[in-house]
Amino acid sequence: MPIPESTRQISEVSWEIPTTFKPGMNVPARVYASRKLLEGMDDGVFEQLTNVACLPGIVRHAYAMADAHWGYGFPIGGVAAFEPENGVISPGGIGFDINCLHPDSKVYDGDGTWTKISELDARTQGFITYDPSGGRLRRTKSILKESRWESGALVKIRTKAGKTLLATADHPVQTRRGMVPAGDLSLEDQVVSSGFTGYPRSSPAGIELVSAETLNQAMDKMGITGAGNARGLVMNQLRRRGLDRILLNDPKVSQLLKLLGFIFGDASIPRVKKGQYVSFFGKAEDLLDIKLDLAEIGFESHSYSRQRHHRMNTKYGTSEFDFKEDSLYSSSTAFAVLMVALGAPYGKKASVEYRLPRWLFASEDWQKRLFLAAYFGAELSTPTTVNGYDFQMLLFSVNKLATLEANAKELVADFTALLGSLGIESTEPTRVEGYDYAGVDGLSIGVRAGVLSNVKNLLGFLSKVGYLYNRGKQRIASLAVSFIVHNESIREERNAVRLKAIQTYAAGVGASKTVESLSTPTAGPSFIRHSIWSSRGKARVWQSTKFEQYCSEREAGKTGLIFDSIDSLESVPYEGQVYDVTIGDPEHNFISDGIVVSNCGMRLISTSLRYSEVRPKVKELVDLMFRLVPAGVGVKGTLRITESQFDEVMRYGVKWCAENGLAWKDDPGHVEEGGFIKGADPSKVSRQARSRGIDQLGTLGSGNHYLEIQVVDPARHFDKDLGQKFGIVHDDQVLVMVHCGSRGFGHQIGSDYLRVFDGAMRKYGLAVRDRELACAPFSSKEGQDYYGAMVCAANMAFTNRQIIVQKVRDAFSQVFHRDAESMEMRLVYDVCHNVAKVERHTYDGTTKELLVHRKGATRSFGPGHPDIPSPYRSIGQPVIIGGSMETGSYLLVGTAKAMEDTFGSTAHGSGRTMSRTAAKRTVRGADLQRKMLERGIYVKAATMDGLAEEAGMAYKDISEVVETMDRAGISKKVVALRPVGNIKG
Amino acid sequence: MPYRLLPDVALADIAFEAESKTKAGLFESCARAMTDVMVDRRGVRRKVEKTLTLAGDSLDRLLYDFLTELIIMKDVDSLLFRDIRVVVAGDDRSLSAILRGEPIDRKRHALRNDVKAVTMHMFGVKKHGGTWTTTVVLDI
């Protein structure tokens, strides 16, 4: 597409495409470019820019900077600002369609407790979802509960495993062949169902569990004195987390019950003089669940794994074995005190007397279950069958010193009494001699009890209590329930056939006729003959599928859920409210997704070194940095952080780095927004995005990203006074520039939300001219979620660049045998040029908050703006514009004119003019590398193809771009920087 | 020709067009094309086998998610695949894939471009006569 005919020249370097250009444009489009650059712009820019101008809520203009070129949705080099409120289209509008469930439908939360969907508080409860791609269950938070009036009929689905679901015909149901609308199900379909049923959520009484008094008692017991204000510190720590006074109806009691239950099992709070801690033992995957719960109530924990050798003397002789022990530690004294105050045993469990806390007996059924299931996850045996059909009794035991046998029996009796209060029967606590062993503290004994294994009792236990913090046992328990129900239905069928056969035969019908007429797949001829000729009791189930086979045939992934056959499908008349919950997971902003993917940006650090000193070392420096900063396909960084630390990275960016020794004290103050953008919400980031991001910190990636050693170009040092304020004091000073972003992390967030927006656009009745311009109202749930996730990506990108800079400092320090500090390797600035931010702007005589999207465009705030970090506030913000690796880069400064004209925005780089494939065809990587070396630029690239693709001739002339922006007055040139060493991702 | 690169579609990125007589063949071609963008597939050995099952509400969605899943495996598990076999369910709502390959070996593999995402630009599976076709633009 050539330059649109209606384009009007506004000034020497600005052009306007009026709204008459295409139907639907809400504002004119404005392009900043010299005539030469305008004529050289690729066709897509005008088309895309005018599409952006059609987005609802856009203000003033859709802007393209001098470096603009075709992007996805937005052109790269594009800027657009939106009014948050007017960008919204009422959800009550067009295309608002939700798929719904009957009000009595049970919805399970992260505690395994159910609530009727009609009574659900969707904002506060977590859920368990089934992830069909990974075949796993995971915790998630819901984002939206919706309801509508249904007049007509609902589909009633009954399954073999005894489940019933009432849903509208359009409600999707997970089946073996994917999601299928309930109305399209057939009897051949198998739906995913869970054996676990749990207890309904009910409101606990406001019984006080923890108070200053109980905490002080616990500290007395643990020997924590008031010396050095130790007690005060504990109380402060707990108060900060809202845990200094806890009532039974506090929402955090769920996590506390589980943690407490597990401490009675496989965790301990050892008796120590100083530095109280709690250690949990289990499989790594289960410990992760514990870690999440600890984090939920505000405590950090650390995982360890070690190889151990064990030697045990028992009645049957000495046994020795090696095993890998995974453990999790919480080194918070406050947490240890809290647990002891709640009734956790303190010290070696085998050598101290303790019982279950009495308040447990006053808790709600679902709460008792949380405690018991966490304990049983550690202590109760796994369901196994005797013969493939019938399950063995589930057993648990308590081991104590022989002198404490009476207390061991009382403790086991406490557990069976708590089970009894849930209607589950157990055996009497009994001492088992086989459990005796001689340990270092003397002879210890074991007291055991079991959950009665009759079908009703076992089913009640496994379907309602079961296990927690033990995914393996949870899974088997759920499968066992489905299997038992399945077998019971076969048993009932056989009983019915037996009865009928006896009656038929008694009525005078011959044996062979009776067999022929009544035989079924589950009640065959020999069963019927036996029923007629010998007197027998209840039918046994045998010769049908065994448990192991049932699991392998039926289990959905590794979840414990089964593909359950449909028994009946019927349409039932219904008139009333129906409900739905939208799950806030990856599967599930006016903020447009076309814009933000990698959050890449520029970072510049200065040094006190002269080029004459650095010149002989450039090769050594580049080679070392190339080793320290991984680049290329699928590379991972060397920094290992935990999930909770990654949450901190998402929230606090460079501030986190500074607190963890990964930044200099002054660094955060030299990063846009002070090192992190506020409003990050890690809960809106998908699991996939997390896993793509967590180990990519400190990596350069590939594409057009680079790390470059640069020298001031004395002939183009335009404003020495300002240069000095930015730390550029010599004419041959050496600097280092980094261009990269959030790697796969931001891209995954982009992909995830493209999908969310696909649905959101239908929901809010939004239509756009390009699929990549998917969007949602900024004030909508989807819009806000995306904003929270996108900020996480921007903060991750700040962090990534920070960690790279630390490695650059290391490299310089190794090569020059000097401290990085002594070389004054200070951060000049870090600016993200791919981000949407809420900012205050004055235009057309009013001042208001706008959501400004900058895609491949740099913020260019002028002097005095409060958002500029303090070192530069009085002079305007530094603007870093990166050129191709051959032509060099520029440092500029933001202006008041940019505030007036472009919502404080300018260009970001040079912009491509030639495709990657074409560039590769034109130049060979090795030739380019040699030619650049001749010109004094030593370059090292992850791949030679990648190098050729980034050749200077594939880009616009950076000087022309910078000149244009300078003439337009929206950024002013300070200094040009030329490359001498380059690492190409 | 199962796929060809389109040099003029995306300046900063890489685009290709794929076609096949079957839906599964189309998915396989796209996955191979994307892998070829990242590595010389001939140097990738068959050491690891992965089975992937995906569900989605349309063929477009399935293809997008399938390719995205391969990118995730590249970043998270460092895996690149030489053999890619796909079965698409008759209702276009789910697929299974068997993937054979190995972890990235920087010394041995001839690595090329790092693919960060599949874009929605020009994306969509179409059927012309008896042939399935699609255009895919990869974000580099």
Side-chain angles (χ1 to χ4, degrees):
Chain A
M1 183 170 105
I3 301 165
E5 249 176 54
S6 49
T7 306
R8 190 164 64 91
Q9 186 159 15
I10 304 288
S11 74
E12 187 200 352
V13 289
S14 60
W15 313 78
E16 189 165 298
I17 307 171
T19 50
T20 49
F21 171 68
K22 78 164 68 152
M25 277 174 70
N26 294 316
V27 292
R30 190 165 278 201
V31 183
Y32 283 86
S34 61
R35 181 174 286 279
K36 183 177 159 206
L37 285 173
L38 186 77
E39 285 169 353
M41 272 183 188
D42 61 280
D43 303 350
V45 172
F46 309 110
E47 183 65 39
Q48 291 194 320
L49 190 64
T50 48
N51 284 347
V52 169
C54 296
L55 291 173
I58 187 165
V59 245
R60 284 176 94 191
H61 300 103
Y63 300 92
M65 299 296 150
D67 54 342
H69 57 111
W70 181 93
Y72 300 106
F74 272 63
I76 293 169
V79 176
F82 299 89
E83 285 187 337
E85 61 279 24
N86 295 349
V88 176
I89 287 180
S90 162
I94 327 129
F96 191 63
D97 186 29
I98 47 179
N99 321 300
C100 300
L101 298 169
H102 186 273
D104 287 345
S105 304
K106 293 173 184 175
V107 180
Y108 288 86
D109 58 28
D111 294 341
T113 306
W114 56 264
T115 309
K116 285 182 185 172
I117 194 167
S118 52
E119 294 163 6
L120 188 75
D121 182 352
R123 284 159 311 167
T124 55
Q125 286 176 280
F127 295 90
I128 299 288
T129 61
Y130 170 64
D131 169 9
S133 58
R136 287 194 169 279
L137 290 177
R138 62 170 177 243
R139 290 203 243 187
T140 177
K141 289 233 187 290
S142 73
I143 51 171
L144 204 57
K145 177 174 127 178
E146 296 161 310
S147 69
R148 73 171 147 111
W149 191 261
E150 176 72 15
S151 176
L154 295 180
V155 180
K156 188 174 186 176
I157 308 157
R158 278 178 193 279
T159 74
K160 269 267 188 290
K163 305 276 165 185
T164 305
L165 180 75
L166 268 168
T168 57
D170 54 357
H171 186 85
V173 177
Q174 184 75 46
T175 73
R176 211 187 258 276
R177 62 181 167 116
M179 296 297 273
V180 176
D184 296 349
L185 287 171
S186 76
L187 288 172
E188 280 71 52
D189 273 314
Q190 293 183 338
V191 299
V192 172
S193 84
S194 165
F196 187 80
T197 53
Y199 291 98
R201 187 169 285 275
S202 52
S203 309
I207 301 168
E208 188 175 72
L209 309 183
V210 170
S211 62
E213 193 190 338
T214 57
L215 289 168
N216 278 316
Q217 285 165 1
M219 286 190 276
D220 287 344
K221 190 172 179 181
M222 299 164 81
I224 301 171
T225 63
N229 195 27
R231 286 195 173 214
L233 283 174
V234 167
M235 295 305 269
N236 271 339
Q237 295 261 352
L238 292 174
R239 195 169 304 128
R240 271 217 326 256
R241 295 169 171 91
L243 296 170
D244 56 328
R245 180 168 184 260
I246 301 172
L247 304 183
L248 187 59
N249 56 10
D250 191 313
K252 285 181 176 164
V253 168
S254 291
Q255 282 84 24
L256 295 172
L257 280 162
K258 286 191 268 177
L259 294 166
L260 187 66
F262 198 83
I263 291 175
F264 273 86
D266 281 344
S268 68
I269 314 175
R271 179 175 290 278
V272 288
K273 285 217 173 68
K274 264 176 91 175
Q276 307 284 343
Y277 65 93
V278 185
S279 50
F280 300 84
F281 301 91
K283 282 193 180 159
E285 59 170 17
D286 300 321
L287 293 175
L288 185 65
D289 288 336
I290 296 176
K291 188 181 180 70
L292 287 172
D293 278 337
L294 280 167
E296 199 107 332
I297 57 168
F299 293 102
E300 266 197 45
S301 55
H302 303 280
S303 319
Y304 295 93
S305 175
R306 60 172 176 164
Q307 218 41 56
R308 291 197 72 169
H309 181 76
H310 219 76
R311 185 190 168 98
M312 242 173 119
N313 296 319
T314 71
K315 191 180 155 189
Y316 308 108
T318 303
S319 75
E320 291 191 48
F321 48 95
D322 287 301
F323 66 103
K324 183 168 148 266
E325 181 184 79
D326 286 310
S327 54
L328 185 76
Y329 286 82
S330 158
S331 53
S332 161
T333 300
F335 176 66
V337 169
L338 177 65
M339 285 292 125
V340 173
L342 280 167
Y346 181 61
K348 257 191 191 171
K349 278 184 279 188
S351 349
V352 293
E353 278 193 45
Y354 60 92
R355 302 276 300 265
L356 289 192
R358 302 320 291 169
W359 57 263
L360 277 173
F361 291 85
S363 66
E364 296 297 304
D365 288 354
W366 62 270
Q367 293 182 311
K368 291 175 185 165
R369 182 257 161 185
L370 290 176
F371 175 83
L372 285 169
Y375 175 74
F376 289 142
E379 294 297 324
L380 190 68
S381 57
T382 310
T384 40
T385 62
V386 190
N387 50 9
Y389 305 104
D390 303 314
F391 286 87
Q392 288 179 356
M393 189 190 290
L394 300 171
L395 300 167
F396 69 100
S397 62
V398 165
N399 295 302
K400 292 238 177 211
L401 291 179
T403 49
L404 297 175
E405 183 176 338
N407 178 247
K409 283 190 171 151
E410 286 167 349
L411 181 61
V412 173
D414 280 350
F415 279 110
T416 57
L418 198 59
L419 275 173
S421 73
L422 292 172
I424 291 157
E425 297 174 327
S426 336
T427 60
E428 283 293 311
T430 318
R431 177 172 165 186
V432 183
E433 294 212 342
Y435 288 178
D436 286 5
Y437 79 89
V440 284
D441 300 327
L443 178 71
S444 73
I445 54 103
V447 172
R448 187 171 81 179
V451 176
L452 289 186
S453 61
N454 66 69
V455 166
K456 183 173 164 281
N457 199 56
L458 189 64
L459 208 53
F461 174 80
L462 292 175
S463 67
K464 292 183 164 178
V465 179
Y467 309 87
L468 275 169
Y469 291 153
N470 191 318
R471 293 186 187 189
K473 289 181 189 174
Q474 270 165 270
R475 179 181 155 217
I476 300 294
S478 173
L479 289 168
V481 171
S482 303
F483 179 69
I484 294 169
V485 173
H486 173 82
N487 276 354
E488 281 308 285
S489 74
I490 295 178
R491 197 192 306 274
E492 274 170 33
E493 199 181 321
R494 281 161 69 95
N495 278 333
V497 170
R498 168 164 290 173
L499 193 66
K500 185 90 181 164
I502 294 167
Q503 288 168 350
T504 311
Y505 186 66
V509 181
S512 50
K513 272 262 164 65
T514 305
V515 168
E516 200 181 312
S517 65
L518 296 176
S519 173
T520 69
T522 49
S526 77
F527 171 78
I528 297 175
R529 267 185 226 107
H530 279 109
S531 301
I532 301 171
W533 288 324
S534 55
S535 89
R536 281 171 189 260
K538 264 179 111 184
R540 283 189 303 138
V541 174
W542 61 302
Q543 287 183 341
S544 62
T545 313
K546 290 192 174 186
F547 183 49
E548 208 169 293
Q549 193 190 346
Y550 177 85
C551 296
S552 71
E553 284 173 8
R554 294 279 170 162
E555 189 177 8
K558 295 277 177 211
T559 54
L561 303 183
I562 59 152
F563 289 117
D564 191 357
S565 303
I566 297 178
D567 230 10
S568 69
L569 280 170
E570 54 180 320
S571 177
V572 293
Y574 184 79
E575 174 86 31
Q577 207 72 18
V578 287
Y579 297 84
D580 192 32
V581 177
T582 307
I583 299 297
D585 222 36
E587 295 72 31
H588 277 295
N589 254 319
F590 194 88
I591 178 161
S592 172
D593 192 57
I595 194 169
V596 186
V597 278
S598 70
N599 301 99
C600 63
M602 306 297 300
R603 179 178 265 244
L604 184 64
I605 53 173
S606 60
T607 73
S608 61
L609 303 173
R610 307 292 188 97
Y611 183 47
S612 51
E613 297 166 78
V614 174
R615 191 175 187 167
K617 304 274 192 185
V618 166
K619 182 171 183 304
E620 200 184 331
L621 276 169
V622 167
D623 289 346
L624 180 58
M625 291 196 293
F626 188 81
R627 271 199 286 126
L628 294 179
V629 182
V633 180
V635 288
K636 291 182 191 297
T638 46
L639 185 72
R640 289 284 165 265
I641 56 170
T642 63
E643 286 280 347
S644 64
Q645 285 172 319
F646 194 43
D647 278 0
E648 297 287 293
V649 165
M650 290 185 235
R651 284 199 186 95
Y652 303 116
V654 180
K655 184 167 167 260
W656 177 84
C657 296
E659 285 165 4
N660 288 276
L662 295 165
W664 290 4
K665 195 163 101 315
D666 288 346
D667 288 347
H670 288 75
V671 176
E672 191 146 292
E673 308 284 316
F676 69 99
I677 302 174
K678 292 179 196 70
D681 187 348
S683 75
K684 304 303 176 201
V685 174
S686 74
R687 190 175 48 86
Q688 280 97 333
R690 278 171 175 274
S691 53
R692 282 182 77 182
I694 193 162
D695 53 11
Q696 294 200 334
L697 286 168
T699 64
L700 196 58
S702 72
N704 60 354
H705 292 160
Y706 61 80
L707 167 55
E708 196 166 81
I709 305 176
Q710 303 173 338
V711 180
V712 170
D713 183 346
R716 293 183 294 164
H717 197 162
F718 310 103
D719 190 332
K720 292 200 173 169
D721 186 37
L722 265 181
Q724 193 140 27
K725 287 180 175 142
F726 287 154
I728 290 156
V729 288
H730 303 300
D731 261 356
D732 60 347
Q733 190 172 334
V734 171
L735 296 97
V736 179
M737 187 176 276
V738 181
H739 176 218
C740 72
S742 56
R743 305 273 283 109
F745 181 64
H747 281 270
Q748 189 60 40
I749 290 174
S751 299
D752 292 339
Y753 279 90
L754 207 58
R755 191 176 327 179
V756 174
F757 285 9
D758 236 17
M761 301 218 328
R762 260 176 277 139
K763 176 166 152 189
Y764 299 112
L766 295 167
V768 289
R769 291 175 169 272
D770 180 343
R771 235 173 145 172
E772 280 280 338
L773 270 182
C775 59
F778 181 55
S779 62
S780 69
K781 185 74 191 147
E782 293 87 343
Q784 289 295 303
D785 286 356
Y786 176 60
Y787 188 75
M790 181 214 65
V791 172
C792 289
N795 290 341
M796 190 279 193
F798 285 138
T799 309
N800 191 27
R801 291 189 288 271
Q802 174 66 36
I803 290 168
I804 289 175
V805 161
Q806 287 298 94
K807 293 185 177 187
V808 169
R809 286 167 173 162
D810 281 353
F812 270 73
S813 143
Q814 277 187 47
V815 168
F816 290 100
H817 308 291
R818 288 171 64 186
D819 280 354
E821 284 87 351
S822 76
M823 291 178 276
E824 296 171 36
M825 299 185 71
R826 279 194 294 261
L827 178 56
V828 177
Y829 204 54
D830 180 318
V831 58
C832 186
H833 54 222
N834 249 321
V835 77
K837 275 192 266 194
V838 179
E839 297 170 350
R840 276 185 90 73
H841 284 279
T842 303
Y843 67 99
D844 301 341
T846 56
T847 299
K848 61 190 304 179
E849 289 212 322
L850 295 173
L851 179 70
V852 184
H853 291 60
R854 294 191 186 90
K855 175 174 184 172
T858 315
R859 202 176 77 171
S860 181
F861 282 3
H865 197 286
D867 286 356
I868 302 175
S870 55
Y872 305 126
R873 196 166 298 151
S874 62
I875 49 179
Q877 80 166 85
V879 171
I880 306 165
I881 295 195
S884 77
M885 62 186 176
E886 292 181 79
T887 54
S889 305
Y890 283 82
L891 181 62
L892 297 88
V893 67
T895 64
K897 183 108 167 58
M899 301 311 293
E900 287 163 24
D901 288 3
T902 56
F903 297 114
S905 313
T906 186
H908 87 303
S910 37
R912 286 191 85 93
T913 55
M914 190 188 275
S915 78
R916 293 182 176 278
T917 323
K920 250 185 316 203
R921 251 188 248 133
T922 318
V923 60
R924 281 184 56 237
D927 292 342
L928 182 65
Q929 190 179 30
R930 188 169 40 77
K931 279 189 189 141
M932 285 175 72
L933 192 60
E934 284 165 12
R935 286 166 40 207
I937 309 168
Y938 176 67
V939 54
K940 205 165 163 76
T943 71
M944 280 299 155
D945 276 358
L947 184 67
E949 290 171 13
E950 294 297 320
M953 55 160 197
Y955 283 89
K956 281 178 198 171
D957 179 357
I958 177 81
S959 304
E960 179 93 18
V961 171
V962 167
E963 219 38 70
T964 301
M965 304 322 275
D966 189 272
R967 256 179 285 156
I970 56 179
S971 49
K972 285 284 168 197
K973 293 179 293 184
V974 175
V975 65
L977 305 165
R978 67 184 174 85
V980 295
N982 178 298
I983 291 170
K984 180 58 225 60
Chain B
M1 177 89 177
Y3 77 85
R4 66 186 184 93
L5 293 175
L6 305 171
D8 302 321
V9 166
L11 282 190
D13 293 309
I14 292 179
F16 63 83
E17 185 180 61
E19 61 174 54
S20 173
K21 293 280 175 213
T22 64
K23 285 179 267 185
L26 184 75
F27 278 54
E28 288 167 3
S29 295
C30 290
R32 284 179 200 134
M34 190 175 78
T35 309
D36 288 344
V37 166
M38 299 193 278
V39 67
D40 183 342
R41 212 155 33 90
R42 289 169 301 181
V44 177
R45 295 177 188 162
R46 303 169 181 91
K47 285 187 183 166
V48 182
E49 182 172 300
K50 289 257 172 191
T51 312
L52 179 71
T53 310
L54 282 176
D57 55 12
S58 68
L59 211 53
D60 283 4
R61 187 87 263 163
L62 272 183
L63 180 61
Y64 184 86
D65 287 350
F66 174 55
L67 296 176
T68 301
E69 209 54 51
L70 293 177
I71 297 173
I72 294 172
M73 281 196 262
K74 177 260 297 171
D75 278 347
V76 178
D77 309 318
S78 299
L79 286 175
L80 293 172
F81 298 104
R82 172 156 184 164
D83 293 347
I84 296 145
R85 287 270 170 264
V86 177
V87 180
V88 179
D91 62 358
D92 296 347
R93 282 163 180 268
S94 64
L95 70 78
S96 299
I98 297 173
L99 311 161
R100 288 192 199 94
E102 66 171 336
I104 296 174
D105 181 337
R106 277 171 212 291
K107 292 205 181 74
R108 192 156 44 75
H109 291 154
L111 296 166
R112 295 167 176 165
N113 290 92
D114 200 16
V115 176
K116 291 173 193 150
V118 181
T119 75
M120 276 288 171
H121 182 68
M122 303 170 79
F123 195 80
V125 176
K126 293 180 193 74
K127 194 174 184 182
H128 295 298
T131 306
W132 294 90
T133 64
T134 189
T135 302
V136 176
V137 182
L138 300 171
D139 202 332
I140 299 298

